[in-house]
Amino acid sequence: MTDDSLSIGISAPGRKPVFNGPALFWFVICALPVVAVCLPLGLFLATGFWHVDNGTMVPALSLDNYVNFFSNPTYVSVLLQTLTLAAEVAAGNMLIGFGIAYFIWRCPPVWHFPLLVLGTIPLLMSYIIKLYALRSILGNNGFLNQALVAVGLFDKASDLFLFNQTSILITMGIIYLPFSILPIYLTLERIPLSLLHASADLGGSAWQTFRHVTLPCSLPGTVVGGMFSLILALGDFVTPQMVGGVKGFTFGRLIWSQFGMAFDWPFGAAMATILLVLSIGVIVIAGAIIKRTEAI
Amino acid sequence: MSPRERIVHALLGCLMAAAFAVLYAPIILVSVLAFFPALRGKVDWSNPSVEAFGKLAGNASILEALLNTLIVGLTTVAVSLALGTLLAYRTSRRNDWVSRLVEFVIFLPFLLPPIITGLSLLSSLQQAGIPRSLVTVVIGHVLFVLALVYRLLLNRLRSIGASIVDASHDLGASGWQTFRYVLAPSLSSALLTSGVLVFALSFDETLITVFLSGDDSTLPIRLWAMIRVGFSQDINALVMLVLAFSVVMTVAIAWLLQARRSRAAG
């Protein structure tokens, strides 16, 4: 036996292995995801500075795509409209999601798990199917209209609920709601009961305890829930297409169209870069809020 | 609870009931309609049948899409579990800048809008001249779910603690032996949970897949193409089956996670 077998896990100083197998192995394992994510993303972002000439992409760096985008009022208004839409979806879902998560948390413990599962099941249900089902309800011939007419609220079926911006708002709100229920509940659950008791013992009313203990403690989950809704709504291109019709144009759909009908990939890549910057901004802000509340 | 708190509680209960009704009513309705033939928008409630399900079994393109989905799902599970476990293991042993870089990078596809992940992969494949296939779909799915596997496994590895691994090394086990005989047995439940979760996510993934699937479409992509045309009993039947499958998987995941949590607590 050489003394190699005795020095397991400890490399003798001043001696280098001839072939470092494990190190190479770990290098490959770590490099694989980094390359698979960064290389395509980097290339794609670079494409945003290119342009199309006679149907082929020309890799010449210029800011033309960005100038075109921001100097065209139609594009800018679509972006602003989508930002408003996404903010509305996120705000609505944070509010409703918080209400539901709070209710579940205040129920007797036996109910927590079943109710939470009920609120989570839609998360893993096919996205396309949810859209299909909602469209069949909201449509002119759909059950919502039929019900409203049957009850007598409407004289005849209305087009109010499908193929406009409102229908996109409703649909995204419903589809992304479970994304906020779960994280909010998980932070609520982590609040130590002793903290709530302490607040009550010190004479805090139910409202004061809620306002100064529960709300700040659950802020990280609420922010994460809102972040998911916001980012998903910003980039979604299928929901607007399925329930938005001609009037329901959003930023995600605008990007998508550059890769289909318009076939201007560099311009699409430039717009996707704008989306990326916005999303990273949202993530950074959310991260900062979470860090600040956890520091307190 | 004071009377006022009780009123708030009741109101929030109503909010939840309403929200759950809105979440579930459409899909339940669509599922029920799978059993009733409809003619020009009028549903014939008097005549329930399972005929639509029989027709599905004879639809070659749907069966092919289903097979593709299963292949993609299982491959994604295998690759993401292997890669995710190794990366989590490395971080648990050595939390250096490499680990933090990897962690940051694999969370990007999970947090960014799917359209960015999908488009960047599509654009790179195009430039590299690689044709789109089920392989490219698997790559997209693995990148999407890797962060979840990594997180779940890392949590588990951290709860096991470093001392047991050090003990194994001190007793002369190699890295692989430690992994195989010491860590793997206590990782099995985390692996099972991640596996089911990854499969469920891959099964439904639409927004990245649409960019990466060439001629071989997966079930959600096939469904999307069918749905764009309109409503039919066939679609409803397929929808009902897919939904039933998703519900079973979600309940299984929830149950697995809960079992782990109560074991950790008790």
Side-chain angles (χ1 to χ4, degrees), chain B residues 167-204:
Chain B
S168 165
H169 281 302
D170 287 348
L171 290 169
S174 68
W176 166 248
Q177 283 172 322
T178 304
F179 185 78
R180 171 71 189 81
Y181 296 106
V182 178
L183 288 175
S186 28
L187 288 182
S188 55
S189 70
L191 285 170
L192 183 63
T193 314
S194 327
V196 182
L197 186 61
V198 166
F199 188 80
L201 287 173
S202 165
F203 190 79
D204 285 342

Side-chain angles (χ1 to χ4, degrees), chain B residues 6-148:
Chain B
R6 218 164 278 157
I7 294 170
V8 173
H9 192 67
L11 285 176
L12 289 177
C14 295
L15 173 74
M16 187 190 71
F20 282 6
V22 171
L23 283 173
Y24 284 98
I27 41 194
I28 290 173
L29 194 71
V30 167
S31 305
V32 170
L33 286 178
F35 297 97
F36 298 94
L39 231 104
R40 280 179 237 102
K42 282 267 175 281
V43 181
D44 181 7
W45 294 107
S46 62
N47 198 6
S49 79
V50 288
E51 200 186 329
F53 293 90
K55 267 196 236 159
L56 276 184
N59 189 327
S61 80
I62 287 176
L63 291 179
E64 199 199 314
L66 181 65
L67 185 68
N68 286 341
T69 308
L70 293 179
I71 293 171
V72 168
L74 292 174
T75 320
T76 304
V77 169
V79 176
S80 65
L81 284 192
L83 201 55
T85 309
L86 285 168
L87 291 171
Y89 178 63
R90 193 188 179 284
T91 305
S92 76
R93 295 298 293 165
R94 214 158 15 134
N95 200 358
D96 52 7
W97 66 270
V98 181
S99 288
R100 276 194 292 278
L101 173 73
V102 169
E103 195 167 285
F104 171 76
V105 166
I106 62 176
F107 267 89
L108 282 178
F110 182 68
L111 289 177
L112 291 177
I115 190 173
I116 290 180
T117 311
L119 278 177
S120 65
L121 284 170
L122 169 70
S123 159
S124 308
L125 290 172
Q126 198 83 5
Q127 284 172 42
I130 302 167
R132 295 182 288 172
S133 65
L134 291 185
V135 177
T136 55
V137 175
V138 169
I139 294 174
H141 284 196
V142 168
L143 292 179
F144 176 56
V145 299
L146 196 56
L148 276 176

